[in-house]
Amino acid sequence: MEGAVLDVDGTVLRGDRMLEGALKGTDTLRDGGVRLVFFSNNPTVTSDGLAGRLRDAGVEVGDAVPLTSATLTAVHVEENCAPPVHVTGEGAVAEALRSHGVDVTNSPSDARTAVVSVDRDLRYADLREAVDAATGADDYVCTDPDAVVPTGDGDIPGTGAVEAAVSRAAGREPLVVGKPSETAARAALDALGTSPEDTVFVGDRLDTDIALGERVGSRTALVRTGVTSDADLSSSEHRPDAVLDTLADVSDLL
Ligand SMILES: [Mg+2]
């Protein structure tokens, strides 16, 4: 194995804290010469922000590549879509676009690309702008498919919920960039520079992390430290190649 794509929340971190086994797991992979990508579907942080979150929790980032759906969306739009871009979402999405040299506009009618993401301060006027942009733009892109985001205070509406409202009104479906899209899987492999057969995808969610690895035919490992219960696992169409109590058990895969 040459590369590992590691989910963050529920796999390496829970909230601001490092999960049991995460340090041992990442050390084991590094000691085995395995390159790492930390991959979060959270579109409210940039790659730099994710690296900061990991470091603050005591996770060594080193030469691992941090990826979020905000930065992946910026890369996708830069390579495939026309500017200017209208963004509905939190600051990280526009920040990531600008840092990739992409023009961002506040005017929905000028937008040639509309990007939709979760915005925890969303107002009706923002929703209206998002619908105008999505209706008129050449390309309509969504950062990630997550309908809800788990928090310490229960599940809150995520990008998928905002996107559903915009798409319903605009009468149009977006290209969805984050996990488990093919775009996301390829981006992770590109960041590692490894082939699918030499890469393992590790995470706590069957429908995103495990589906992501399955998309490119890589090995997959589910960790039990996050959201997936044994009942979820036995009733799922997704079949991870390994089930690990914590990330520390990734040593079994080397
Ligand atoms: Mg997770």
Side-chain angles (χ1 to χ4, degrees), residues 48-238:
D48 287 348
L50 178 63
R53 240 190 102 204
L54 288 161
R55 279 191 206 99
D56 288 348
V59 180
E60 190 195 330
V61 177
D63 58 3
V65 181
L67 283 181
T68 75
S69 62
T71 48
L72 266 196
T73 298
V75 170
H76 171 81
V77 168
E78 181 193 11
E79 291 176 355
N80 299 286
C81 307
V85 180
H86 182 274
V87 179
T88 302
E90 299 191 16
V93 180
E95 189 186 331
L97 284 162
R98 288 197 188 94
S99 76
H100 282 83
V102 177
D103 259 357
V104 175
T105 179
N106 288 321
S107 163
S109 58
D110 290 342
R112 295 200 53 202
T113 299
V115 172
V116 168
S117 185
V118 68
D119 178 354
R120 284 166 290 181
D121 288 318
L122 191 78
R123 298 165 305 138
Y124 189 83
D126 300 319
L127 188 57
R128 182 176 172 179
E129 280 199 7
V131 172
D132 285 348
T135 303
D138 301 330
D139 289 294
Y140 172 33
V141 176
C142 171
T143 52
D144 62 276
D146 297 4
V148 294
V149 178
T151 74
D153 201 21
D155 288 353
I156 61 172
T159 293
V162 177
E163 178 273 308
V166 175
S167 297
R168 181 72 185 269
R172 184 175 186 190
E173 295 298 319
L175 180 131
V176 183
V177 173
K179 295 186 273 190
S181 75
E182 171 102 29
T183 304
R186 294 284 163 206
L189 292 172
D190 283 352
L192 288 167
T194 55
S195 60
E197 52 274 21
D198 294 321
T199 307
V200 63
F201 286 69
V202 186
D204 71 313
R205 288 188 75 111
L206 293 159
D207 58 350
T208 53
D209 306 312
I210 302 307
L212 186 71
E214 290 174 345
R215 185 84 77 185
V216 288
S218 289
R219 272 205 291 171
T220 58
L222 182 82
V223 286
R224 292 181 186 274
T225 45
V227 298
T228 301
S229 67
D230 288 349
D232 295 333
L233 182 58
S234 60
S235 65
S236 175
E237 59 178 312
H238 301 291

Side-chain angles (χ1 to χ4, degrees), residues 1-6 26 28-37 63-65 188-189 191-201 218-219 250 253-254:
M1 193 200 309
E2 295 176 2
V5 180
L6 305 180
T26 51
T28 301
L29 288 166
R30 282 199 171 98
D31 291 347
V34 177
R35 292 196 288 280
L36 305 181
V37 160
D63 58 3
V65 181
L189 292 172
L192 288 167
T194 55
S195 60
E197 52 274 21
D198 294 321
T199 307
V200 63
F201 286 69
S218 289
R219 272 205 291 171
V250 78
L253 303 178
L254 287 175

